[in-house]
Amino acid sequence: MSSTISAPTSSQEPGGAPSGFEADRTSDSLGASARAYVDRVRGGDLGALPAILGIVVLGLLFFALRPETFLTPRNMANLADQAAPIIILAMGLVFILLLGEIDLSAGVVSGVCAAVMAKLLADAGAPWYVAVLAAIVTGVAIGLFTGSLVGMIGIPSFVVTLALFLGWQGFTLRLIGEGGTVPVRDPVISAISDRNLPVTLGWILALLVIALYAALQLNRWRTQRTKGLAHQPLAVVLVRIAVIAAIVLLVTAVLSVDRAPAVGVVLAGIPYAVPLVILLLLLLTFVLGRTSFGRHVYAVGGNAEAARRAGINVTKIRVAVFVIGSTLAAISGIVAAARLGSVAPGSGGGNTLLYAVGAAVIGGTSLFGGRGRVRDAVLGGLVVAIIANGLGLLGTEAYLNFIITGGVLLLAASVDALARRRAAATGH
Amino acid sequence: MSAPTDRPEDGTPTLELRGVNKSFGAIQVLHDVHLKVYPGQVTALVGDNGAGKSTLIKSIAGIHPIDSGDVLFEGRPVTVTGPRDAAALGIEIVYQDLALCDNLDVVQNMFLGRERKTGVVLDEISMEQAARDTLSKLSVRTLKSVRQLVSSLSGGQRQTVAIAKAVLWESKLVVLDEPTAALGVAQTRQVLDLVRRLADTGHAVVFISHNMVDVFEVSDRVAALYLGRMAADIPISQVNRGEVIELITAGRSGNLGIAPAEAAAVEV
Ligand SMILES: Nc1ncnc2c1ncn2[C@@H]1O[C@H](COP(=O)(O)OP(=O)(O)OP(=O)(O)O)[C@@H](O)[C@H]1O
Ligand SMILES: [Mg+2]
């Protein structure tokens, strides 16, 4: 969620006679920062803009079409539950897309892992933590397998994962049996989507998240300034903190309203899926932005040959991103199973993968590698979930659902490709 | 900045190649190559397109394993099998195609593969400071911010970043493959100054170029490759520009270069 510490830069070339190293500036005025941002957007680096625009426009659209149902607290909680598995799957895909690779089997892998968990719960009577652990281990193993085929043998990831897309579906079918479903009734696992944080705890966590974010941002700004490093103007940092705080408070407020359909019962609080997503967001953002592993992922995605010459083990990075992708697919599968209360042979099939790839790309992760962040999965996942949710409220027929969602993915991919061409043309 | 000097070849060369051979499949690209590179000196490596210059330095870097021959670093025989080995010895190579990551900024590129960390967390503060120090020590100008993405840099700036990256690591041998090939007048000037300054600060420098003016301006020694054979490896004061061009195009000049019989054999 935090931006890389790139100083605001403008696109113009330093022309004319060299004037000395003082050309290296560590800070710009607020105006210069704003101009630099506009320059970046014009230069093709759209960042989170399309996703935020999408959330606002689609939100208004569905609110206009279904004023009595769309923006209700009940539907917002439902939306959060709906978005969580898409977002988590997309988080894993961000890592894979950063290398310019693709995992077409991510959706069905989430199905396999969920099936493993469900079978252990239902047939073997295993406790929830054993079942969850088994599902995650399955994800890790599958990722190692896929990653080795891509990274060590060198088969294009498109082909490997297309084959596995079919193969793993067969596996789930064998596990569950034709036409069958395995129920997931474990109270702990169901709680991920059925239960909510107590309202007070929700508020405390919300304030804690805001305080933590503000402290980290301000502390970094202070260190950068005192050590004479590149830093953004304080106003930019403060605006960013204010925006994050406003969003967190608004979401908490909406989800803390009683949304029980009947009088007499109380149903309020943040669904457990939300803190799970936030936890993953923080963890994975840290990995990508603050560790050398994350740095190497970007490097391999930007220029694999340069990374290799810099002594980075490119094969290891390739395998690792597929492991991360499949592990998150496993978690996504668990969350989806908790939401639906069962696992079927078709779990993770259909449009699961399309939604997740769409989420990452709409969020701003490039299909060409080298550009993307974990938060893209969250923003893009919300856009995709809003579309699915809104169309559901409108009662659109299934065929239209497919066409619209496919269209949105194509649109996002076009924006990505055009941004890339633009970036090449303007030297960004 | 001192003028190129004609120092006696005393002392141990930083890098010495003895009888290096290298083939790609059936095509032999390097034939029995000998080369000596001394500290504090710029050795120009010249030769026509396809003579094997890039192949030679990739062999030094361990990117292409050599078929036979010896590589001595500071007098000790070494086997370099990859970029990490080369870096550990103190060999830094600036490739013809630069090999920078466009999507990373200047600091991130300079520390790529060797990031400083506190625990598992990247130490951005110390990396940014060190990068800025190195760049100002090299009197690098015109770079707007060390946090600029490399994709937004001009050709000369990219070259500068690549060279600064090599300097950052206290390297003993810096190899530059055609660092001025794509540059304009002012930027070529900057890079040549930088090359000279590297040698003056004690580095052994190998400088590959097709431009004889540049070669004669910054070099102390010249090594000419002709169709994969080392035609001459001599102090630059012993030759003039015409002779170097003859060495490059014909493999020999006067009594310098590969033996007439051998040259004739090669030309067939
Ligand atoms: N990986 C490779 N596989 C096969 N042949 C190669 C390979 N790399 C280089 N060669 C061949 O080796 C010869 C020497 O190439 P090299 O790139 O070393 O030349 P060079 O002296 O650097 O030329 P230039 O001045 O054009 O950069 C050429 O004939 C080239 O085709
Ligand atoms: Mg070359």
Side-chain angles (χ1 to χ4, degrees), chain A residues 24 230 290 295 370 427-428, chain B residues 97 103 122 124 128 132 144 151:
Chain A
D24 174 35
R290 297 272 169 270
R295 181 68 38 89
H428 267 269
Chain B
D97 54 5
N103 59 335
L122 292 172
E124 297 288 353
E128 185 174 330
R132 189 171 278 123
K144 198 151 181 223
S151 60

Side-chain angles (χ1 to χ4, degrees), chain A residues 7 10 14 21 23-25 223 227-230 290 292 295-296 298-299 302-303 306 308-309 311 370 427-428, chain B residues 83-84 95 97 99-101 103 108 115 117 121-122 124-125 128-129 132 140 142-147 151-152 154:
Chain A
S10 101
F21 192 57
D24 174 35
R25 266 176 299 143
T223 327
K227 297 256 163 96
L229 307 182
R290 297 272 169 270
S292 54
R295 181 68 38 89
H296 295 173
Y298 281 104
N303 187 341
R308 192 174 72 89
R309 290 188 199 162
H428 267 269
Chain B
R84 277 194 185 279
Y95 293 94
D97 54 5
L100 295 170
C101 291
N103 59 335
Q108 293 170 340
E115 291 83 4
K117 289 179 280 190
V121 187
L122 292 172
E124 297 288 353
I125 295 173
E128 185 174 330
Q129 280 170 338
R132 189 171 278 123
V140 168
T142 74
L143 205 56
K144 198 151 181 223
S145 163
V146 291
R147 288 300 184 181
S151 60
S152 69
S154 72

